[in-house]
Amino acid sequence: MAKNRKKTGDRSRKRRRHVWHSRDFAAVLALPERLAEYLRLLLHLSKAQWDFCLDRIRQEHEVETAWRAIEGNEEKTRRCTIAYREWSKSKGPGKGWRRFAAPCEELKIVQRAILNRFLLAIPVHFARHGGQRGASILSNAAQHVGAKGVFAVDLINAFPTVTRARVRANFRKPLAFALRQFSGVAFSCASAELRNKVGQAKDNDARDRALTSILQYDVDAMVEALCDLLVLRDRLPQGPPTSPRILDIVAMQMDQAIWRICHEGSSTFQRFTYTAYVDDLTMSSDDEIPEDLREAILNVIREHGFVPHTREDKTKYYSPETGEVAVVTGVVINRDGRLTMAPRKVNQIRARLHHFLALPTWDEQALGVVAGTLGFVRQVYPEKCPSKLRIPVAQAETRIAAMRAGRAEAALAVPLPTDIEPEVVKTAEAPTPASAAGGNGEEPKAKARKTKAKKGTAKRGAKAKGPKEAIAPVAPPPVTV
């Protein structure tokens, strides 16, 4: 019996864990043609842009299906190589890895259209500063200037924590509101079948229910298609331009709960301030923040599906008792109200600039990275940079200015094309009216200006010499008959 139990135990230990696989891009490829057309019109996409994106997605889907058909790959996770480019970056010794997934160019065009035409229309909490126009880490840190106690919280893997179900739940109502402009239009065959119920309705209530069912069918199909375009393996990837905005939308209820705690805890003698920048949450007060209030905020974060960091350098409380200056999103809030960079951030930027300055040439990507880094530095230090950044920043700015000046000169020095049509060459070499008349090639207007200038010079010279002597008129010769 003991041997049998041991064998049974060994079998249970060797039993393979069930691996669940997502079906990426299945809904958008199965989207009806009419429904895809109205989605394209809603996003202001041309048919070529939409077709190119679907072709790239279809290639990825075919490669994934063929790879799954190979024996032994059923329970493995394949990294996409067509629709997304994935890589990992170490967070530091013993701190794990941060995974990125950059979409291909065709998919990125569609994602930017979704961001500009749909996601930006969905409201987020006013305490959010990430992904907002006119907001940055400086505006986020400026809200806590003069605070006595600052409580900063960082979320662990905030983007992968957002699942496809959460994205779907937050998209359904806004998309239903946007699709009301297409009300009464049968998008697909299933919608046409549901539309028959409208004609069979006996009263207005039944008709409204039938129209609602039609709209709900279309909304569900389009929401699944949008999720396919924005989510990878049923998780929110870090890399697409839409992920920060989606995170802000999903975190709306959490922001409301945290702000409610800060508002209820405020009084005439103490005021609390709450801001959020992507996955960095900050609460400050003009007095000490009680420990039970900080614990209540951490519980709210856990209740809404996010995980706060447990490391001391990620979730930290700054106060005069700790003797440390508050650091919010990498910006140091000094006692006198100045905003400066943390020493670690300064060293990172200097190393980055030294790396790019050592390269002999810069391509478009390198030029964009350097220009963005310099813009951030000048945003924090508009006049005088720290001593560590003074030389590399000046060298990078000089190099960018020289590159732009060289491009401008090259654009002005572009030679005329040699393959010009004969009629164009003949027109270009045709003589001017003045040269045709035997002149020196000057145009009539320029010649008239020169003549007028000479006359003016002669008049001024005559006035300087004085009046001329009168000349007696000459009598005409006699006429003989």
Side-chain angles (χ1 to χ4, degrees), residues 196-214:
N196 295 332
K197 297 181 180 180
V198 179
Q200 300 173 0
K202 299 181 180 179
D203 52 1
N204 293 334
D205 294 339
R207 184 176 181 276
D208 293 341
R209 286 194 298 270
L211 290 175
T212 303
S213 62
I214 294 175

Side-chain angles (χ1 to χ4, degrees), residues 335-371:
R335 302 296 183 187
D336 55 357
R338 293 182 300 108
L339 299 177
T340 58
M341 290 186 192
R344 179 177 58 87
K345 191 71 174 178
V346 173
N347 294 334
Q348 290 177 355
I349 292 178
R350 184 180 63 171
R352 185 185 305 171
L353 292 179
H354 276 305
H355 167 71
F356 283 104
L357 289 172
L359 299 178
T361 57
W362 289 350
D363 55 1
E364 292 295 333
Q365 184 177 3
L367 182 61
V369 173
V370 175

Side-chain angles (χ1 to χ4, degrees), residues 112-327:
R112 289 192 182 278
I114 296 173
L115 174 65
N116 297 327
R117 298 294 304 174
F118 177 65
L119 296 180
L120 290 179
I122 303 177
V124 298
H125 201 271
F126 66 87
R128 287 272 160 183
H129 288 257
Q132 308 293 324
R133 292 181 179 178
S136 62
I137 60 175
L138 290 179
S139 64
N140 178 69
Q143 300 294 323
H144 306 282
V145 172
K148 189 175 181 180
V150 178
F151 183 47
V153 182
D154 193 5
L155 304 180
I156 299 178
N157 297 329
F159 290 100
T161 305
V162 180
T163 60
R164 183 189 183 102
R166 300 181 72 176
V167 176
R168 184 192 304 118
N170 284 272
F171 279 6
R172 184 170 283 110
K173 287 185 178 180
L175 188 60
F177 182 79
L179 290 180
R180 289 184 181 274
Q181 53 191 319
F182 302 119
S183 61
V185 179
F187 291 170
S188 59
C189 298
S191 295
E193 295 175 1
L194 294 173
R195 191 181 176 123
N196 295 332
K197 297 181 180 180
V198 179
Q200 300 173 0
K202 299 181 180 179
D203 52 1
N204 293 334
D205 294 339
R207 184 176 181 276
D208 293 341
R209 286 194 298 270
L211 290 175
T212 303
S213 62
I214 294 175
L215 181 62
Q216 192 61 42
Y217 176 85
D218 297 331
V219 168
D220 292 341
M222 295 178 74
V223 163
E224 292 297 334
L226 287 177
C227 290
D228 277 352
L229 296 172
L230 302 176
V231 175
L232 179 63
R233 301 191 189 96
D234 290 350
R235 300 282 177 174
L236 190 64
Q238 185 172 356
T242 53
S243 294
R245 183 68 181 188
I246 295 175
L247 179 61
D248 292 347
I249 294 172
V250 172
M252 180 71 167
Q253 295 183 358
M254 181 187 69
D255 295 334
Q256 290 176 348
I258 296 177
W259 186 85
R260 190 183 307 113
I261 293 175
C262 297
H263 179 70
E264 293 175 354
S266 300
S267 62
T268 309
F269 306 99
Q270 187 176 10
R271 185 178 63 88
F272 292 94
T273 304
Y274 168 71
T275 60
Y277 189 88
V278 192
D279 59 345
D280 293 322
L281 313 180
T282 309
M283 187 184 70
S284 65
S285 174
D286 49 6
D287 202 350
E288 296 289 339
I289 302 178
E291 187 176 356
D292 56 347
L293 189 62
R294 284 180 273 158
E295 191 62 32
I297 291 176
L298 296 178
N299 292 334
V300 167
I301 295 174
R302 297 187 188 97
E303 289 173 0
H304 288 83
F306 295 98
V307 182
H309 253 294
T310 56
R311 280 171 30 199
E312 294 183 356
D313 59 332
K314 291 295 185 178
T315 299
K316 200 167 186 179
Y317 175 59
Y318 304 92
S319 69
E321 296 180 356
T322 60
E324 294 181 279
V325 182
V327 180

Side-chain angles (χ1 to χ4, degrees), residues 356-479:
F356 283 104
L357 289 172
L359 299 178
T361 57
W362 289 350
D363 55 1
E364 292 295 333
Q365 184 177 3
L367 182 61
V369 173
V370 175
T373 304
L374 294 178
F376 171 71
V377 172
R378 287 305 180 187
Q379 192 176 12
V380 181
Y381 302 102
E383 297 179 358
K384 189 176 181 181
C385 295
S387 58
K388 289 184 177 181
L389 297 178
R390 199 168 299 162
I391 295 177
V393 166
Q395 292 176 351
E397 289 178 345
T398 304
R399 188 167 176 177
I400 288 180
M403 291 179 62
R404 291 176 178 173
R407 289 183 179 181
E409 292 178 0
L412 293 175
V414 173
L416 293 175
T418 56
D419 54 346
I420 303 179
E421 297 181 0
E423 293 79 9
V424 179
V425 175
K426 187 176 181 181
T427 306
E429 297 178 354
T432 60
S435 60
N440 55 359
E442 296 180 353
E443 294 185 0
K445 290 185 178 181
K447 197 170 183 180
R449 285 196 298 269
K450 287 187 176 181
T451 306
K452 191 173 181 180
K454 288 181 179 179
K455 289 182 179 180
T457 308
K459 287 182 180 180
R460 288 194 297 272
K463 289 181 181 179
K465 294 178 181 179
K468 292 185 179 181
E469 298 180 357
I471 302 175
V474 181
V479 181

